[in-house]
Amino acid sequence: MSDIGTEATIRTALHEALTAFRATASASADHALAVYSCSLAAHVMLRHDPHAQALVIVEGDSPNYRSARSVVTVDGTMRSLTDDEDDDLDDDDAVCNLVDSNDFAWRPLCSRFDSQYGVYHLDLIRARDEGTDLLSK
């Protein structure tokens, strides 16, 4: 389950991390950008589907272009994103911040990774909690 207040706080922290990264390009800002991006994506998905397990993220033509494509449900099946889920993820620009330079921060939040096809399963609970933990530091 996602808490709307926490989701808003994570969204604000993501925008602050993005601003800091653009200004400094520091490793700590890049780390925060990746963690908050994953956490916000998780909050959005869990708000729509409280029982979702993972968000499937795939690489595009460039390894630095990634997009959310589908969801792993509680029973382990995969389903497409609904229009509302897709729109909310796009509106927050969370997934596009997951790039090679910060993969050290977001890949550990994935429960599965297929390097041959560039497919990542972002563990929603782990990602949500990692962002909340980072807020408290």
Side-chain angles (χ1 to χ4, degrees):
M1 188 88 173
S2 177
D3 174 276
I4 297 295
T6 304
E7 182 179 329
T9 303
I10 293 288
R11 185 176 290 107
T12 299
L14 170 60
H15 291 293
E16 290 170 356
L18 184 57
T19 300
F21 179 73
R22 287 179 177 157
T24 66
S26 71
S28 63
D30 204 14
H31 177 269
L33 179 62
V35 170
Y36 288 137
S37 293
C38 289
S39 185
L40 183 56
H43 276 278
V44 167
M45 287 309 306
L46 291 168
R47 176 170 35 87
H48 284 281
D49 182 352
H51 303 292
Q53 299 296 301
L55 177 63
V56 180
I57 298 169
V58 298
E59 292 182 354
D61 294 336
S62 162
N64 272 329
Y65 176 77
R66 294 178 174 89
S67 61
R69 293 291 170 89
S70 52
V71 178
V72 178
T73 64
V74 70
D75 64 1
T77 60
M78 205 174 305
R79 67 164 175 82
S80 298
L81 293 171
T82 66
D83 289 342
D84 286 342
E85 291 167 343
D86 193 35
D87 289 346
D88 285 354
L89 288 168
D90 283 349
D91 288 348
D92 285 321
D93 287 331
V95 176
C96 68
N97 296 313
L98 306 179
V99 296
D100 289 349
S101 67
N102 59 24
D103 68 353
F104 65 92
W106 62 267
R107 277 196 187 166
L109 301 176
C110 294
S111 57
R112 186 171 162 208
F113 167 60
D114 182 340
S115 60
Q116 182 177 2
Y117 298 105
V119 178
Y120 311 85
H121 287 215
L122 180 67
D123 181 307
L124 295 176
I125 302 303
R126 196 177 329 164
R128 179 198 64 194
D129 293 348
E130 189 74 15
T132 304
D133 291 347
L134 187 57
L135 284 174
S136 66
K137 292 180 181 178

